[in-house]
Amino acid sequence: MSRCRVPIVALLGALVCQPALGQTGGQRKLTLDDLYQLRDVGGPQVSPDGGWVAYTVSIPDVAKDRSDQDIWMTSWDGSRSLRMTTSKSSEHTPRWSPDGRYLAFLSDRDDSREVDQVWLLDRAGGEAERITDLPGGVSEYAWSPDGKRLALIASDPDPDSATVSPDTTQRTHRPIVIDRFQFKEDDAGYLDARRDHLYLFDITGRKAEILTPGVYNEMAPAWSPDGRAIAFVSKRRPEFDRTSNWDLYVVEPRRGASPRQLTTFEGPDMDPDWGSGPPSWSPDGKYLAYVQGGPLKLIYYAGQRLAVVPASGGPARVVTPTLDRNVLSPLWSADGRSILFLLEEDRVSSVARVPATGGAVETLTRGRSFVSDFSTGPDGKLAVLASTPTAPPEVFALDGGALRGLSRQNDRWLAGVQLAPVEEISFKSRDGTPIGGFLVRPVGYRSGTRVPTVLRIHGGPVSQFANEFDFAWQLLAAQGYAVVAANPRGSSGRGEKFSMAIWADWGNKDGQDVLAAVDYAVAQGVADPSRLGVGGWSYGGILTNQVIARDQRFKAATSGAGQSNVLAGYGTDQYVREYEAELGTPWGNTAAWLRVSFPFVHADRIVTPTLFLCGDKDFNVPLLNSEQMYQALKSLGRETQLVIYPGEHHGIKKPSYQRDRLERYLDWYGRYLKQPDRASTR
């Protein structure tokens, strides 16, 4: 059940008319091979003079079976586009120096430890130069206002790295000693005594000094406008593993300075699980804008609000007190009068603005699409990363109320493929609750024809399907399937109460909601009720298991990185705090744990042929959960299969494995749902 949520943001209505974001009429249907043609664009950064926008482009390297990410930049008028890095290693997190002369980035190129370091690329010419050499690597960084220093977040080195001899590839790992409350985390692995610290780095002298030694983790550094302080986020308290109570701190950029706590709210401030980025200083340096979470007891179901706190100390003030929608990524306006942020709503959100003192929220971008990031420049310039259901993300400039394409990395590919239209739908669940979702008819669909249909379920659970590009939906549509997707109760975008509706009751109301989406597709004459499939990943896999244990209408299911016996999750995944907050302890509230474990306890009710998939290194929803369900169905004599991706964590990253997963979806659904030349009519 991934807690990582991506902001769902909207674009101007005029945007969908632009060629780069709309389907313009292709020549062929999409295939599996198109997965390798997609370019994943991200991280826009407007230059200090406003003349350029830097961004990243990631493409699959089929030969090396990994993604290769490079830095690009485009002129603000869109007339020039330049690739800035071409190494065999990936580069990411571009950041302009304050004077615009240098473009910094992170990369593990030329590092035998395979950890990221900071590199500088001089726009006047020449090769990029590595300027840091920290054994544990750099995960975040920020330029000082004078351009002479960097604030770094760097990790303690891996103690095993010193045991490798340069003349051998053999390594004997040290024993893993566990003494922490939360002792594992996906991608990171087992959590030991290593920490992420704040460093001050002098660019001229190439010297790093630690500012926050000790036992705590720091992240999200942000310089004050006068360069006299650095804000950061941390949990500097005893037993910090037992809480998600992140707070804002400030520290002077000198060795020996003591951090000063700014926020005291009993809940997460700038919770990193939300990807909110660093706090934002007001231009006069008197205030910090940040994202305040909800009460700790509500864990990830709580709403996220925009708040401001004095940099000198004092009570924080929420500037969106009546806005029951999530906010992310705050940025102060250049004149200090307002704060920009990402505003999540039902299937869309927007880049929005609110007066710094509070007041009415104004949306700067509108429409039914998806913006996942934005960056501001001089003279009010705003660059956004935007996607629609029929076009992958690209960088756009907001000009006079309209969005203008800048990156255009996927235009050529889009011109060659025929994509299916994606329709927003609304319907009512069994108890009358209004639910929203999407319906995708097959490419070339003939009105009046019923077709095999796949119900897709999103992860989270506090996340949502939005108006963004989904390759899997388009692939299924190209193969003759309709796709129906819902945002059931538990999803984000509709307020805290809607998200909280599944509290300690997984699979009940949200199960009814996704089944209502199928009923809608059948009632519309699109879905063939005799050929229905279902599937999802993470909480999408969890809810898939719940649905097929409660309803036998589905002829095929794919359950990715899911879970059914929730008791098996305690102590084997990364959610111990969340489990105890929502369900209590297994020994103290066993009934609640058994209630949400319905698919395992009642596995004998499952008759749907089910394909289980998971990475063997997944610490988010570990493999053992999929193994248990596979074993249960196998014991019952049901049709089932388990696919394990070696070396993969919760998110499958190897391009060949990503392709393999999609191919297995098609094969599994094709085996049980799709019979060539068979279609029923109304």
Side-chain angles (χ1 to χ4, degrees):
M1 66 171 76
S2 172
R3 291 177 55 193
C4 182
R5 301 193 288 191
V6 182
I8 313 299
V9 190
L11 294 173
L12 293 171
L15 181 64
V16 295
C17 297
Q18 297 194 24
L21 277 182
Q23 177 60 28
T24 58
Q27 293 83 32
R28 61 175 179 81
K29 292 183 179 181
L30 182 144
T31 71
L32 273 169
D33 290 336
D34 285 303
L35 184 66
Y36 292 155
Q37 304 303 313
L38 282 175
R39 294 180 169 230
D40 187 13
V41 178
Q45 293 287 310
V46 182
S47 65
D49 63 5
W52 295 85
V53 180
Y55 58 94
T56 60
V57 179
S58 180
I59 60 174
D61 185 331
V62 178
K64 295 185 177 180
D65 202 13
R66 62 176 178 79
S67 292
D68 180 30
Q69 194 170 47
D70 289 300
I71 309 294
W72 287 65
M73 69 178 190
T74 182
S75 58
W76 185 256
D77 64 8
S79 63
R80 299 181 64 196
S81 185
L82 305 173
R83 182 177 176 180
M84 306 303 293
T85 63
T86 58
S87 78
K88 297 179 180 179
S89 298
S90 288
E91 295 86 16
H92 60 96
T93 319
R95 297 290 185 269
W96 298 95
S97 63
D99 62 5
R101 176 180 174 181
Y102 294 99
L103 187 58
F105 58 85
L106 295 178
S107 178
D108 65 355
R109 60 157 98 166
D110 299 335
D111 193 298
S112 60
R113 298 156 298 200
E114 297 183 341
V115 295
D116 285 335
Q117 304 292 346
V118 180
W119 290 70
L120 282 188
L121 185 63
D122 192 336
R123 291 181 63 196
E127 295 292 330
E129 175 190 6
R130 187 175 82 172
I131 62 171
T132 65
D133 188 24
L134 290 159
V138 177
S139 57
E140 298 178 81
Y141 70 104
W143 286 92
S144 66
D146 61 9
K148 296 179 180 180
R149 298 165 294 173
L150 297 174
L152 309 176
I153 300 296
S155 178
D156 293 328
D158 181 353
D160 269 331
S161 62
T163 67
V164 181
S165 171
D167 58 354
T168 181
T169 59
Q170 298 299 313
R171 171 187 293 188
T172 299
H173 293 277
R174 301 182 183 189
I176 299 171
V177 180
I178 301 297
D179 61 3
R180 295 177 58 169
F181 180 71
Q182 181 188 350
F183 62 91
K184 61 197 311 185
E185 185 177 290
D186 196 41
D187 288 316
Y190 288 103
L191 302 179
D192 51 26
R194 283 176 287 174
R195 301 290 187 268
D196 294 328
H197 303 288
L198 177 65
Y199 283 79
L200 180 68
F201 184 79
D202 178 71
I203 294 178
T204 301
R206 303 292 197 263
K207 181 181 179 182
E209 287 187 317
I210 192 169
L211 296 180
T212 59
V215 298
Y216 304 111
N217 287 305
E218 276 78 46
M219 59 188 62
W223 286 87
S224 63
D226 61 8
R228 295 181 179 179
I230 302 171
F232 63 93
V233 179
S234 185
K235 294 189 293 185
R236 301 176 69 84
R237 62 187 77 246
E239 296 283 347
F240 60 85
D241 275 339
R242 291 181 177 267
T243 180
S244 294
N245 191 6
W246 296 90
D247 281 302
L248 266 64
Y249 293 80
V250 292
V251 67
E252 295 180 38
R254 60 176 177 83
R255 179 187 287 272
S258 297
R260 177 167 50 88
Q261 185 174 344
L262 287 185
T263 59
T264 58
F265 172 69
E266 287 297 319
D269 295 321
M270 299 301 287
D271 188 340
D273 285 326
W274 278 79
S276 292
S280 178
W281 289 84
S282 61
D284 60 10
K286 294 182 178 181
Y287 298 95
L288 282 147
Y290 66 99
V291 175
Q292 183 186 90
L296 289 172
K297 64 182 180 180
L298 299 187
I299 52 177
Y300 41 69
Y301 296 103
Q304 307 290 299
R305 304 182 296 177
L306 181 62
V308 170
V309 65
S312 59
R317 176 172 46 85
V318 175
V319 296
T320 57
T322 61
L323 183 64
D324 186 22
R325 294 294 184 268
N326 293 318
V327 305
L328 292 170
S329 307
L331 279 178
W332 221 286
S333 65
D335 61 11
R337 298 172 60 184
S338 59
I339 302 168
L340 284 72
F341 57 95
L342 297 180
L343 172 62
E344 183 188 28
E345 298 180 279
D346 180 18
R347 288 171 284 184
V348 297
S349 27
S350 58
V351 178
R353 177 169 58 196
V354 67
T357 56
V361 172
E362 175 191 6
T363 57
L364 302 182
T365 55
R366 301 177 182 86
R368 310 303 293 178
S369 41
F370 179 97
V371 175
S372 55
D373 200 358
F374 74 102
S375 173
T376 58
D379 303 321
K381 289 182 175 178
L382 180 67
V384 301
L385 185 68
S387 174
T388 68
T390 53
E394 297 282 1
V395 179
F396 292 81
L398 177 63
D399 275 346
L403 285 173
R404 173 172 51 82
L406 292 179
S407 61
R408 302 189 180 278
Q409 291 284 334
N410 289 290
D411 279 13
R412 180 176 298 179
W413 175 75
L414 284 171
V417 294
Q418 182 182 7
L419 300 181
V422 179
E423 172 191 350
E424 289 193 45
I425 58 175
S426 297
F427 47 90
K428 289 185 178 181
S429 191
R430 181 191 302 173
D431 61 1
T433 300
I435 303 296
F438 295 91
L439 177 62
V440 188
R441 290 175 170 82
V443 173
Y445 175 75
R446 299 193 313 273
S447 179
T449 303
R450 291 192 181 273
V451 295
T453 300
V454 176
L455 168 67
R456 293 298 295 170
I457 304 176
H458 69 65
V462 190
S463 180
Q464 66 168 324
F465 285 128
N467 281 277
E468 63 176 321
F469 184 77
D470 191 305
F471 185 88
W473 291 8
Q474 292 293 339
L475 180 64
L476 287 165
Q479 293 292 319
Y481 298 95
V483 177
V484 63
N487 288 325
R489 278 168 282 189
S491 301
S492 56
R494 290 182 57 182
E496 189 172 276
K497 183 179 179 180
F498 191 83
S499 296
M500 285 287 297
I502 66 168
W503 178 270
D505 193 24
W506 313 340
N508 181 15
K509 293 178 180 178
D510 50 354
Q512 296 173 27
D513 297 347
V514 297
L515 289 175
V518 176
D519 293 338
Y520 175 89
V522 172
Q524 293 297 306
V526 176
D528 183 343
S530 67
R531 293 187 289 166
L532 298 175
V534 61
W537 195 269
S538 192
Y539 190 80
I542 294 173
L543 189 51
T544 292
N545 297 345
Q546 292 275 357
V547 165
I548 61 177
R550 299 167 188 262
D551 194 294
Q552 298 185 345
R553 75 180 73 180
F554 296 99
K555 299 302 186 291
T558 60
S559 175
Q563 178 191 62
S564 293
N565 177 17
V566 184
L567 286 160
Y570 188 88
T572 64
D573 65 29
Q574 63 188 29
Y575 292 108
V576 61
R577 294 189 301 268
E578 292 79 9
Y579 283 137
E580 293 193 356
E582 186 171 359
L583 302 175
T585 58
W587 51 91
N589 194 21
T590 309
W593 288 75
L594 290 175
R595 182 171 62 249
V596 296
S597 298
F598 186 93
F600 185 71
V601 177
H602 300 289
D604 57 325
R605 302 185 185 185
I606 299 175
V607 297
T608 303
T610 305
L611 173 68
F612 297 98
L613 311 94
C614 195
D616 72 345
K617 301 297 184 185
D618 190 342
F619 277 2
N620 191 313
V621 188
L623 173 62
L624 73 91
N625 297 284
S626 296
E627 290 175 326
Q628 283 193 315
M629 283 305 292
Y630 165 77
Q631 190 68 74
L633 296 195
K634 201 70 174 176
S635 176
L636 290 163
R638 308 291 195 257
E639 295 178 80
T640 186
Q641 191 175 84
L642 174 64
V643 177
I644 302 170
Y645 292 107
E648 293 295 282
H649 298 276
H650 193 61
I652 305 300
K653 295 181 179 178
K654 279 184 177 291
S656 66
Y657 288 162
Q658 292 175 347
R659 189 185 192 281
D660 179 89
R661 177 173 57 180
L662 290 170
E663 188 170 21
R664 291 182 188 277
Y665 288 169
L666 295 180
D667 289 346
W668 194 260
Y669 291 135
R671 183 185 307 178
Y672 299 104
L673 304 184
K674 192 173 183 183
Q675 300 179 25
D677 300 323
R678 173 191 171 187
S680 59
T681 59
R682 292 190 184 95

